[in-house]
Amino acid sequence: MTDVRRVFEALNWASSFLKAKGREENAARILLQHELGMSQAGLLASLRDPLDPEQDERFRRNIEQHAAGVPVQHLTGVEEFYGREFEVNKDVLIPRPETEELIEETLQLVQRYFPAGDPSIVDIGTGSGIIAITMKCELPASEVAAVDISESALLTAERNASRHGADIDFKLGDLTEPIRGRKWDIVLSNPPYIGYDEKAELSDTVRDFEPHTALFADDQGLALYSRMARELPALVNKPGIIGFEIGHAQGEAVKSLLKEAYPQAEIYVKKDINKNDRMVFCINA
Ligand code: GLN
């Protein structure tokens, strides 16, 4: 391939190539912006420019990789979450927009139950760190801790925290094990919640590239909610808030796990923007 292509030619080629392979065409624009280090507006302004052959070659390789299933975020190394950019890699779950809704709801609850804006917060299973870091950035007066069982995930989360200047106490360990011995105002978690029997239904991009410890859990994906529901009453203050992200079919099950642990609390399932059950909140006020 010696012909120099213009930016729009490369973009059109990549979009139709990805479409033919059953992938999102939009990935073409994201990968080209990444290659050129341009915003979307910058790319639009450069459509008629000739593409540097080396950049074109790398862009082609990335398009081919994505066509083969590699997540776009593993090729760019980043994903945006709640308006901030986070490093992602094969050791952490790629941030999902649904999790922004967990943040949004929690911030509303903070206004209501912790009007001083400084509740202590812990994020269990922090992965890339998005929940803990976002909460710390939004509520700088809060003390924030984050737990993960994976050392490489924690290293990624630490890099993300320093990228955003967020002072967070990162703890390596299994679920609530490293946060015992004191009480917290808010506990948030987006734990692995996919049942092993659902593996076949996942897209190859997820199943073959995202870390299985971040995706799957026993008991149809409920195992970690049931452990947390049992362990949290000793670790959460009153008033206190627990917020879980859940799978769309898990609302009632997770609600009743929390109900057993907190018979007096207000517990509700909240839908995401696609109208799927996506969060369960427990308010013990
Ligand atoms: N807390 C991280 C997130 O919301 C990681 C979640 C996970 O690995 N299950 O993306």
Side-chain angles (χ1 to χ4, degrees):
M1 193 56 202
T2 48
D3 288 355
V4 172
R5 302 196 287 187
R6 289 177 195 271
V7 169
F8 77 88
E9 290 170 319
L11 192 57
N12 289 346
W13 162 79
S15 302
S16 4
F17 182 76
L18 290 178
K19 189 174 180 191
K21 300 278 179 179
R23 305 284 175 198
E24 290 273 337
E25 289 172 67
N26 201 29
R29 178 184 57 77
I30 295 168
L31 288 168
L32 193 50
Q33 279 179 230
H34 166 71
E35 189 52 52
L36 299 176
M38 282 177 180
S39 64
Q40 190 166 358
L43 186 75
L44 283 174
S46 312
L47 286 176
R48 300 210 55 85
D49 294 352
L51 191 54
D52 171 78
E54 272 177 34
Q55 290 186 315
D56 195 1
E57 188 51 41
R58 278 197 301 266
F59 174 59
R60 265 173 206 280
R61 276 203 298 269
N62 278 344
I63 291 294
E64 278 157 14
Q65 292 251 308
H66 180 54
V70 180
V72 174
Q73 296 90 338
H74 286 183
L75 298 167
T76 62
V78 290
E79 177 60 299
E80 201 175 292
F81 181 82
Y82 213 81
R84 298 180 182 89
E85 196 175 82
F86 289 85
E87 173 192 335
V88 296
N89 54 49
K90 60 170 185 28
D91 298 322
V92 298
L93 193 79
I94 297 168
R96 306 295 205 265
E98 289 83 352
T99 310
E100 295 179 336
E101 300 188 54
L102 182 81
I103 301 282
E104 199 60 55
E105 178 74 4
T106 306
L107 289 173
Q108 305 247 346
L109 293 172
V110 168
Q111 282 189 7
R112 177 133 150 244
Y113 294 96
F114 300 94
D118 59 355
S120 60
I121 303 170
V122 57
D123 172 17
I124 300 180
T126 196
S128 62
I130 51 167
I131 295 175
I133 295 165
T134 303
M135 293 306 292
K136 180 68 188 177
C137 291
E138 298 298 317
L139 302 171
S142 277
E143 176 195 3
V144 180
V147 179
D148 207 283
I149 198 168
S150 152
E151 197 165 0
S152 41
L154 271 191
L155 290 171
T156 305
E158 276 168 354
R159 285 194 297 275
N160 278 321
S162 52
R163 180 190 280 235
H164 295 295
D167 179 16
I168 288 166
D169 189 7
F170 288 103
K171 296 165 184 287
L172 180 67
D174 189 9
L175 232 49
T176 66
E177 181 265 317
I179 52 158
R180 295 184 194 154
R182 59 161 286 186
K183 289 195 170 189
W184 304 82
D185 295 326
I186 300 183
V187 174
L188 298 174
S189 184
N190 175 21
Y193 59 66
I194 303 171
Y196 288 96
D197 52 342
E198 292 171 73
K199 211 175 204 171
E201 294 149 42
L202 289 179
S203 78
D204 57 347
T205 313
V206 175
R207 191 189 53 234
D208 300 342
F209 295 94
E210 296 206 74
H212 285 191
T213 42
L215 293 172
F216 298 108
D218 287 329
D219 305 338
Q220 280 91 52
L222 294 169
L224 301 181
Y225 301 112
S226 89
R227 273 183 60 196
M228 286 192 281
R230 264 180 284 126
E231 295 167 11
L232 287 178
L235 301 174
V236 185
N237 282 325
K238 188 170 178 164
I241 295 169
I242 299 167
F244 291 152
E245 182 170 327
I246 57 158
H248 64 86
Q250 295 172 326
E252 288 312 309
V254 174
K255 190 174 163 182
S256 60
L257 286 169
L258 284 165
K259 200 83 206 162
E260 273 174 53
Y262 283 97
Q264 318 292 347
E266 177 194 346
I267 300 170
Y268 59 95
V269 178
K270 194 166 162 63
K271 291 186 189 302
D272 63 23
I273 199 174
N274 300 312
K275 302 200 167 60
N276 290 314
D277 285 355
R278 187 59 63 198
M279 294 151 267
V280 178
F281 281 87
C282 171
I283 299 169
N284 191 33

